[in-house]
Amino acid sequence: MALLNILHYPDPRLRNQAEPITDINDDIRQLADDMLETMYDAPGIGLAAIQVNVKKRLIVIDVSEDKSDPLILINPEVINAEGEREFEEGCLSVPEAYEAVTRADKIKVRAVNFDGENYEFDADGLLATCIQHEIDHLDGKLFVDYLSNLKRQRIRKKMEKHQKQKL
Amino acid sequence: MAKLTARLAAANILTEVTVRQRSLNSALATTLPELDERERGFCQQLCYGVLRWYPSLQFLASQLLSKPLKNKDADIFNLLLIGLYQLRDLRTPAHAAISETVNTSKQLGKKWASGLLNACLRNYQRQQQELETTLKANASAQSAHPDWLLKQYQSDWPEYGTQVYEANNQQPPMMLRVNQQQYSREDYLRQLADAGIAAEAVSGTEHGILLSRPCDVSQLPGFNDGAVSVQDGAAQITARLLDIHSGQRILDACAAPGGKTGHILESEPSNSVVALDVSAERLQQVESNLSRLHLTATLKAADAGQTETWWDGERFDRILIDAPCTGSGVIRRHPDIKSLRRPEDIASLSAQQQQLLDSLWSLLKPGGLMVYTTCSAFKQENEQQIEAFLQRHPDAEEVRPEQPPAQPRPFGYQRLPGDDIMDGFYYACLRRR
């Protein structure tokens, strides 16, 4: 197990596109475990491989109160969406910024399990919001892209200032 | 993805209050809706709890920190207080309280603080007994009141011991006012019993009900249709003092949020009531409260004391001045007062009160009644204010009602925190000859 380094906005690598996972091997299992550990440590409720600079379609999620419900999704896709839900989202790659984003309230998700088999499930509420937020990462998209230009610029400036202070 | 958590939101809210001098109610109103519903109650509990014990927690933090934090790290300081509050007063398991509080520093983008918070909170655990003994020797930390506030209570009420501070540190009960146009108190108590909500009548009030446990208003039968309002018994006594009859023209000079305006109209809905408040934003609360009660008043956003800006020239039979005050009688409901109020506020509020009394007095019809109330426990805002008023206005006399609303004073009536279950309050009834 190891903590991975999370990329911070506006790092251009967050704009990379992730490739589907074709070979589910021990490396993928290890990556998923490390991502879960990194997510819990952050602390966050979801993390996509792109955020730790791995261009693979892999996300980990746990929306439970007590870290009791880890979810590993390989090659996830939303195959049906309905309703609307607004939620104050934050992102481990955009620390300190929380803004309301509207997404589908109920979704049907297809993913692949560790045996390489397709499966589907329904999600709603916070879990649905989180899955959509993480799948966006795999396509190089961030929650700040949904905000007004003004808000996005303000967040970007704040992040750049922080990064300068760290150097 | 990251989520706004109760502790993170609480640290931000507390910083709004302690650094930017914003009221807790206003800071909560902005932030709570952003939180996941499950987290709202806990966030509120943390904010109220930390502000209630602020002087004590601040003292402990100063003992635990080797050097004070910088001003820009007020959020980390408040996070430390959140951690200490959980360890002292909540049933959160200690390890969870510590690790979650430490983690919140990362969410604030201040990972450097996690070691510091962890060390301070673990040191508190290890040295709890010793630290709490040191705390007992410090009057401000022990009573959880800033020094100036303690001194003010002591100089006004030397005969009272710790009663006032202890009452200020209690969690306030939730009280209701039954809308007499819709239900008798007995009928509504039955409705509550049917809904499984334990409650009893508040003695000393005509329509007051005390809930055994606070609950969300949405659980109260008929709330949206105006069956009841949330209001402390102390405020409910005001309407009785106004001696309301039909055909009266009544002024509620500082109306927001409209609790007493609603009560005045429930007593006699046909009366013409003018409700003023200096804040247009807060006046909207009066409007929404009245519309829930199906009552109407003439609402104007104006400073009541500047009569030329709003008065139409017609005098009033009754005037209620529920004056802006220090709130030193209702600290249990507004613990942010401990952090927000300054000693010099007493003088400036008392000048404002005097200006309201003097400028509204001439708007009262001869034979008419003015009721002056505050939720303060300080004499300068209360009995001394009224004594001076009576000296300035020979056409004014104090009326002593048959049933005293609180403890009789040389001028008016005072309830101090802890005198009974109701809020600390002051009342005076003035008749124009």
Side-chain angles (χ1 to χ4, degrees), chain A residues 41-47 63 65 85 87-92 96 98 126 129-130 133-134, chain B residues 1-5 8 33-36 38-39 75 99-100 103-104 106-111:
Chain A
D41 177 74
I45 57 171
L47 185 69
V63 295
E65 297 282 287
R85 176 179 195 266
F87 188 78
E88 203 76 11
E89 291 185 21
C91 179
L92 298 179
E96 280 182 89
Y98 292 85
L126 180 58
T129 298
C130 189
H133 176 115
E134 300 311 333
Chain B
M1 185 171 142
K3 189 177 68 152
L4 204 56
T5 58
L8 177 60
E34 297 174 354
L35 269 179
D36 203 12
R38 293 175 296 184
E39 304 255 16
D75 49 357
S99 71
E100 294 297 318
N103 268 337
T104 307
K106 300 182 200 164
Q107 286 175 294
L108 285 166
K110 296 183 174 176
K111 206 172 175 175

Side-chain angles (χ1 to χ4, degrees), chain B residues 30-333:
Chain B
T30 325
T31 305
L32 280 190
E34 297 174 354
L35 269 179
D36 203 12
E37 273 169 43
R38 293 175 296 184
E39 304 255 16
R40 287 180 199 166
F42 185 44
C43 174
Q44 225 166 335
Q45 184 182 31
L46 291 173
C47 293
Y48 273 93
V50 168
L51 289 169
R52 184 166 287 132
W53 298 105
Y54 203 84
S56 319
L57 299 170
Q58 205 175 14
F59 175 85
L60 291 172
S62 69
Q63 303 283 309
L64 290 161
L65 288 164
S66 53
K67 58 173 190 205
L69 289 165
K70 293 181 187 142
N71 285 343
K72 68 179 169 86
D73 296 320
D75 49 357
I76 295 298
F77 185 74
N78 283 322
L79 197 51
L80 174 57
L81 303 195
I82 288 171
L84 289 169
Y85 169 65
Q86 292 171 83
L87 292 176
R88 288 179 100 210
D89 294 294
L90 294 189
R91 274 184 239 149
T92 325
H95 63 89
I98 295 179
S99 71
E100 294 297 318
T101 304
V102 168
N103 268 337
T104 307
S105 67
K106 300 182 200 164
Q107 286 175 294
L108 285 166
K110 296 183 174 176
K111 206 172 175 175
W112 57 265
S114 37
L116 176 85
L117 288 168
N118 192 49
C120 286
L121 293 172
R122 292 199 187 283
N123 279 341
Y124 173 76
Q125 262 193 315
R126 271 193 293 272
Q127 307 163 19
Q128 183 161 12
Q129 269 193 328
E130 211 180 308
L131 284 164
E132 294 290 344
T133 313
T134 325
L135 176 141
K136 284 202 176 70
N138 179 303
S140 165
Q142 208 275 331
S143 63
H145 284 65
D147 274 320
W148 74 268
L149 198 54
L150 278 186
K151 287 197 184 105
Q152 191 62 46
Y153 284 124
Q154 274 157 7
S155 86
D156 275 15
W157 307 100
E159 65 275 33
Y160 276 78
T162 55
Q163 172 203 313
V164 175
Y165 325 132
E166 280 163 16
N168 283 346
N169 291 341
Q170 299 294 313
Q171 292 199 31
M174 181 166 171
M175 293 188 209
L176 307 178
R177 180 188 79 236
V178 178
N179 182 349
Q180 57 195 289
Q181 295 298 322
Q182 295 190 12
Y183 291 97
S184 72
R185 176 155 68 181
E186 290 61 40
D187 285 345
Y188 196 76
L189 279 168
R190 273 191 287 277
Q191 295 258 340
L192 286 174
D194 291 344
I197 299 173
E200 58 184 279
V202 181
S203 62
T205 70
E206 287 161 89
H207 308 286
I209 286 181
L210 169 71
L211 300 184
S212 311
R213 251 202 324 247
C215 73
D216 194 85
V217 290
S218 61
Q219 291 173 271
L220 299 169
F223 180 81
N224 285 334
D225 216 32
V228 284
S229 302
V230 177
Q231 189 180 42
D232 191 86
Q236 296 185 34
I237 293 173
T238 309
R240 165 162 66 77
L241 300 178
L242 280 164
D243 186 29
I244 296 167
H245 302 285
S246 67
Q248 287 174 337
R249 178 169 151 86
I250 303 177
L251 171 67
D252 185 354
C254 312
K260 297 184 191 73
T261 323
H263 197 187
I264 290 169
L265 280 159
E266 282 168 11
S267 312
E268 193 49 69
S270 65
N271 277 343
S272 132
V273 174
V274 177
L276 306 179
D277 202 89
V278 69
S279 148
E281 200 188 328
R282 303 221 320 134
L283 203 63
Q284 284 178 355
Q285 295 176 291
V286 182
E287 192 169 3
S288 72
N289 269 324
L290 290 183
S291 95
R292 186 178 60 81
L293 296 167
H294 309 292
L295 297 167
T296 47
T298 307
L299 306 182
K300 286 183 191 166
D303 176 350
Q306 309 286 323
T307 52
E308 68 284 359
T309 62
W310 63 270
W311 189 44
D312 61 6
E314 199 188 331
R315 285 183 170 157
F316 296 93
D317 299 285
R318 299 287 182 265
I319 294 178
L320 170 62
I321 305 179
D322 184 28
C325 69
T326 54
S328 50
V330 291
I331 286 181
R332 62 176 187 168
R333 290 198 191 277

Side-chain angles (χ1 to χ4, degrees), chain B residues 248-425:
Chain B
Q248 287 174 337
R249 178 169 151 86
I250 303 177
L251 171 67
D252 185 354
C254 312
K260 297 184 191 73
T261 323
H263 197 187
I264 290 169
L265 280 159
E266 282 168 11
S267 312
E268 193 49 69
S270 65
N271 277 343
S272 132
V273 174
V274 177
L276 306 179
D277 202 89
V278 69
S279 148
E281 200 188 328
R282 303 221 320 134
L283 203 63
Q284 284 178 355
Q285 295 176 291
V286 182
E287 192 169 3
S288 72
N289 269 324
L290 290 183
S291 95
R292 186 178 60 81
L293 296 167
H294 309 292
L295 297 167
T296 47
T298 307
L299 306 182
K300 286 183 191 166
D303 176 350
Q306 309 286 323
T307 52
E308 68 284 359
T309 62
W310 63 270
W311 189 44
D312 61 6
E314 199 188 331
R315 285 183 170 157
F316 296 93
D317 299 285
R318 299 287 182 265
I319 294 178
L320 170 62
I321 305 179
D322 184 28
C325 69
T326 54
S328 50
V330 291
I331 286 181
R332 62 176 187 168
R333 290 198 191 277
H334 303 283
D336 51 338
I337 289 174
K338 290 179 179 177
S339 308
L340 294 176
R341 282 276 171 254
R342 298 283 171 266
E344 56 272 23
D345 293 346
I346 304 177
S348 73
L349 284 161
S350 133
Q352 226 179 314
Q353 292 153 0
Q354 178 184 330
Q355 208 261 332
L356 278 168
L357 280 162
D358 286 347
S359 54
L360 294 177
W361 183 247
S362 59
L363 272 53
L364 190 63
K365 287 181 189 169
L369 196 64
M370 174 182 274
V371 173
Y372 173 82
T373 59
T374 72
C375 50
S376 167
F378 297 151
K379 290 182 178 172
Q380 195 181 339
E381 301 177 89
N382 298 339
E383 56 188 82
Q384 291 169 2
Q385 182 74 267
I386 294 305
E387 182 179 11
F389 175 82
L390 289 166
Q391 276 166 9
R392 286 194 304 274
H393 297 268
D395 59 340
E397 62 178 350
E398 197 200 341
V399 180
R400 305 294 280 190
E402 251 173 63
Q403 196 189 339
Q407 298 203 33
R409 299 294 310 160
F411 300 92
Y413 299 83
Q414 178 79 57
R415 180 181 303 98
L416 289 177
D419 276 353
D420 56 38
I421 57 164
M422 295 188 260
D423 284 345
F425 229 75

